[in-house]
Amino acid sequence: LAVEIAGRLDEERYGQGLIEDAQATAWACLGNAYRVASDLRRAEEALDEAEVHLERSGGEAYAEAQIVSFRASLRSAQGRYPEAAGLLNRALAIYRQAKDRHFEGKTLIKKAAALAYDGKVRRAARLAQKGLSLIDPAEDPRLFITARHNLIGYLNEIGSPDEALETLRRTRRLYQDFGEPSHLARLSWLEGRITRDLGRLDEAESALKEARDFFVQHGIGLDAARVLLDLATVYDQRGDTAELKRLGAEMVPIFTSRDVHPEALAALALLQKAAAA
């Protein structure tokens, strides 16, 4: 709707520059929405269109930073993590020049996520903590929850599942007070991974299934696929080959219906092979 409205604005009343700015922002937000919905090809196309309008408008700095940040999120979803980190460095330069601490912190949190996906988890934890120190929780409680959520995940990945679970329990009230249904689903996903790493497999299975059901119900295919991979590791640890085989069949349509990055497809191939064996 925003794209449609921005394309119909009266040039004589608003001026070409303002209209191009509005179109750039609308296309950028549409591209990010496609990315969230796991439609990565259309996300790329929408962000390309946003950059065309940004160039025509003269390239307002904050609009550029927003588009670059959305493009970085897309690169992370595509598994192109070093590119994502490089793009976020461009956005960081803009926010630091403007002395905008909140957006600098927000961008550091996003960069931490890209580094974590690229296997640089300890560095990611440091950046996430720095980002948390810069953002204003009252201004954006959703971002604060996301950052805390990510930091808990990093603690688990660097081998501190007990500390991660304790931090999660201290943060649970935030999810309940300020979180959205998607946050609660991601909380279940995170809790499933932590309890799995603590060897509490029944709890892990229950939490991961809850997260899977939410993502499947809402058509968030990429995250549903990732949850299923974590659920597969629970069945593997339990030695439940029948469930592994059934899960492999369940994953195929989710993986193949979207632009899932090669690492995930390779993981699926290995899972199918192991299940068949």
Side-chain angles (χ1 to χ4, degrees):
L1 183 59
V3 167
E4 182 71 18
I5 292 171
R8 291 169 177 251
L9 294 175
D10 184 346
E11 187 173 330
E12 288 188 8
R13 180 172 182 179
Y14 297 105
Q16 183 181 3
L18 184 60
I19 291 173
E20 294 292 350
D21 275 341
Q23 288 181 304
T25 300
W27 277 104
C29 291
L30 179 61
N32 194 52
Y34 281 138
R35 190 266 309 170
V36 171
S38 299
D39 196 338
L40 306 189
R41 185 175 291 111
R42 293 175 77 181
E44 191 85 67
E45 292 168 355
L47 290 172
D48 287 344
E49 187 70 23
E51 289 196 344
V52 169
H53 291 290
L54 178 70
E55 188 174 347
R56 290 175 184 167
S57 74
E60 195 274 325
Y62 264 59
E64 179 186 357
Q66 183 183 47
I67 293 170
V68 165
S69 182
F70 286 161
R71 181 87 70 178
S73 296
L74 176 60
R75 292 291 175 263
S76 287
Q78 293 166 329
R80 296 158 64 178
Y81 307 118
E83 287 182 57
L87 287 166
L88 290 168
N89 285 338
R90 285 174 52 192
L92 276 170
I94 293 170
Y95 294 134
R96 283 169 176 162
Q97 186 173 6
K99 293 182 169 50
D100 191 324
R101 285 171 53 87
H102 181 77
F103 273 91
E104 180 186 350
K106 181 176 182 177
T107 307
L108 283 171
I109 290 162
K110 291 187 71 171
K111 184 178 177 182
L115 291 173
Y117 278 125
D118 200 27
K120 301 168 184 174
V121 184
R122 292 187 184 278
R123 188 179 169 200
R126 290 195 297 272
L127 278 187
Q129 288 171 329
K130 183 177 180 181
L132 276 163
S133 72
L134 293 172
I135 64 172
D136 181 356
E139 180 178 338
D140 194 343
R142 178 180 178 183
L143 172 63
F144 185 72
I145 292 171
T146 299
R148 289 275 294 187
H149 178 96
N150 291 350
L151 182 58
I152 293 165
Y154 305 150
L155 290 171
N156 188 55
E157 288 185 46
I158 62 177
S160 303
D162 289 301
E163 182 183 357
L165 190 60
E166 179 57 32
T167 307
L168 185 149
R169 285 173 175 160
R170 292 200 307 268
T171 311
R172 190 183 298 278
R173 183 65 182 267
L174 280 174
Y175 286 92
Q176 295 168 342
D177 289 347
F178 300 107
E180 301 169 2
S182 63
H183 286 129
L184 295 173
R186 293 181 190 284
L187 173 64
S188 294
W189 184 5
L190 181 57
E191 193 166 15
R193 297 206 319 267
I194 296 171
T195 50
R196 174 201 61 192
D197 294 344
L198 287 168
R200 292 151 56 174
L201 301 183
D202 289 343
E203 292 178 56
E205 180 184 11
S206 177
L208 291 170
K209 281 183 173 180
E210 184 175 333
R212 175 204 61 186
D213 292 345
F214 175 88
F215 293 131
V216 169
Q217 180 183 351
H218 290 81
I220 306 174
L222 185 57
D223 285 335
R226 288 170 170 161
V227 173
L228 288 171
L229 282 175
D230 285 325
L231 189 56
T233 64
V234 172
Y235 293 141
D236 183 51
Q237 288 186 36
R238 191 185 284 158
D240 193 339
T241 53
E243 281 297 321
L244 262 179
K245 191 169 184 178
R246 184 197 59 75
L247 191 63
E250 180 181 343
M251 291 166 68
V252 171
I254 296 175
F255 271 82
T256 56
S257 65
R258 301 290 185 183
D259 299 323
V260 180
H261 59 77
E263 292 90 340
L265 292 174
L268 174 60
L270 289 171
L271 174 63
Q272 289 176 306
K273 184 178 179 180

